[in-house]
Amino acid sequence: MRPEDILLPTAAGVCCKAGGFYIDPTRPVDKAVITHAHSDHARAGHGAVLATQETLDLMRLRYGENFAGATQAIRYGESLHMGGVEVALYPAGHILGSAQIAVTCAGMRIVVSGDYKDVADPTCTPFELIPCNTFITEATFGLPVFRHGNPDDEVTKLLASLVLFPERAHLVGSYVLGKAQRLMVLIRNAGYDKPIYMHGAMEKITRYYQTRGIAFGDVRLARDANKADFAGAIALCPPSALKEVWSRRFPDPITAYASGWMRVRARARQRGVELPLVVSDHADWDGLTATVAATGASEIWVTHGQEEALVHWSTTRGLRARPLNIVGYGDEDETSDTASLPDQAEIE
């Protein structure tokens, strides 16, 4: 049996004909299995959706009660049969509720990673390595120049800037789902105990994280504060809000942006970012290659991101590898950032 007999890449996403479902389909389908709730993987309009409870809850918050015709929650490690295959979900370490999807048939196991990271994140269940025959991996940061470093060091950089500029607000652009909540906890873990302000777009998701036992301390909506309250304060917002009218309420703000793309100096300059923070919810090059090797898979399929470099790395190590070239995946708030490759001279 070949991997293509179990899962088949199509324009709509990876399809399992035997099970009658798609994984993270890019357009509405009858049955979808969803890895996580970011909008490039979790779309509304499917007939039925299978995912973790957290992913279903977050999709409901983002798309409304009727985001799918029917839903079914599955726990990590739980398996069920769909047609002629066995399906199980395992932690991906990307955001709350994120999962890898293992599809097994006739003794062959294929693991679809979705988006993942192999470093600690206090806001979600840690990544779990699943041995398999074929591994379908993301490659968002699939170039050797992308090594994210320690996120605690980036938060230390942010807090040091607060000390240097106590009269200025620090606006931190970060993805609404996952990144913002992780930053809040990292900031608290670094000893910061003052109020953290957030954009209204982050409120529902942040409150939901709190219901799942994630503590953020004193988190307030920026719209409810006075301008004087923002001196020396931290405020989190979607990246787009850094250049919108919303940002004008802050006194002489310092703009920061938390993203793996901030490793590229040119991108920070293009965005007018004064304080780039290299904090990513995706595996970096070392994480990708280590994971590929550790799965024991003999065949590697690479999707969304810098596919060619990881395919080349895999083939040089005797693995069968191929790019999937499925259009529609990428950082949900910044899909255009995967459009061009950075030169070595651009990297910090």
Side-chain angles (χ1 to χ4, degrees):
M1 177 174 285
R2 303 173 307 157
E4 293 86 351
D5 296 327
I6 302 174
L7 293 181
L8 183 66
T10 73
V14 176
C15 173
C16 179
K17 289 188 175 180
F21 62 87
Y22 287 80
I23 296 174
D24 291 352
T26 58
R27 57 180 182 237
V29 297
D30 289 338
K31 294 182 181 178
V33 182
I34 303 297
T35 61
H36 66 285
H38 278 153
S39 58
D40 58 325
H41 289 255
R43 292 166 168 84
H46 303 307
V49 171
L50 174 72
T52 64
Q53 186 64 60
E54 291 86 352
T55 293
L56 295 175
D57 290 344
L58 289 165
M59 290 180 71
R60 191 169 288 110
L61 280 177
R62 308 192 94 184
Y63 301 130
E65 288 293 330
N66 300 318
F67 72 89
T71 62
Q72 181 179 353
I74 183 172
R75 297 185 300 273
Y76 291 136
E78 181 182 359
S79 62
L80 52 84
H81 290 275
M82 300 177 68
V85 302
E86 181 182 1
V87 178
L89 272 62
Y90 298 94
H94 179 54
I95 63 170
L96 183 65
S98 62
Q100 303 171 82
I101 299 168
V103 181
T104 305
C105 180
M108 176 176 285
R109 176 186 283 170
I110 302 176
V111 171
V112 182
S113 70
D115 290 338
Y116 67 98
K117 66 177 181 290
D118 58 340
V119 298
D121 181 341
T123 65
C124 64
T125 305
F127 175 84
E128 184 176 338
L129 183 71
I130 308 301
C132 55
N133 305 100
T134 298
F135 185 53
I136 303 181
T137 178
E138 65 142 311
T140 303
F141 292 103
L143 286 172
V145 294
F146 287 114
R147 289 179 166 89
H148 298 326
N150 188 336
D152 292 330
D153 293 340
E154 301 303 294
V155 171
T156 298
K157 185 193 305 182
L158 172 64
L159 299 185
S161 183
L162 281 173
V163 174
L164 287 174
F165 304 102
E167 73 286 355
R168 302 178 68 183
H170 284 62
L171 304 188
V172 184
S174 60
Y175 300 159
V176 169
L177 169 54
K179 180 71 65 62
Q181 293 74 31
R182 182 186 180 199
L183 280 174
M184 291 177 192
V185 176
L186 290 175
I187 289 167
R188 293 303 187 203
N189 290 348
Y192 186 82
D193 59 2
K194 297 178 181 178
I196 296 174
Y197 294 93
M198 63 178 172
H199 190 283
M202 297 174 173
E203 181 181 14
K204 288 184 179 180
I205 291 171
T206 300
R207 302 308 180 201
Y208 175 74
Y209 266 66
Q210 290 175 316
T211 70
R212 307 304 287 186
I214 310 299
F216 302 114
D218 187 358
V219 178
R220 305 179 186 181
L221 286 169
R223 65 169 177 257
D224 295 335
N226 298 315
K227 191 167 186 176
D229 297 329
F230 296 132
I234 296 173
L236 304 184
C237 63
S240 60
L242 293 172
K243 295 184 178 180
E244 293 175 350
V245 174
W246 181 86
S247 66
R248 296 178 187 173
R249 71 188 67 199
F250 298 92
D252 190 22
I254 290 177
T255 57
Y257 186 9
S259 170
W261 296 111
M262 290 298 98
R263 179 63 63 189
V264 182
R265 292 195 301 268
R267 291 200 172 142
R269 290 195 300 269
Q270 289 166 3
R271 286 183 164 272
V273 174
E274 298 174 77
L275 185 61
L277 304 173
V278 185
V279 181
S280 177
D281 286 332
H282 297 264
D284 63 4
W285 175 257
D286 290 337
L288 292 168
T289 55
T291 301
V292 165
T295 63
S298 60
E299 187 152 345
I300 308 299
W301 296 358
V302 185
T303 187
H304 68 296
Q306 317 298 352
E307 298 176 347
E308 293 79 5
L310 193 55
V311 167
H312 176 73
W313 181 92
S314 299
T315 57
T316 60
R317 281 150 182 82
L319 305 175
R320 294 187 298 274
R322 57 176 289 194
L324 295 191
N325 298 316
I326 297 174
V327 176
Y329 298 140
D331 283 341
E332 65 162 3
D333 292 303
E334 195 174 0
T335 55
S336 63
D337 259 339
T338 60
S340 61
L341 303 182
D343 295 327
Q344 179 66 42
E346 289 184 304
I347 309 302
E348 289 181 322

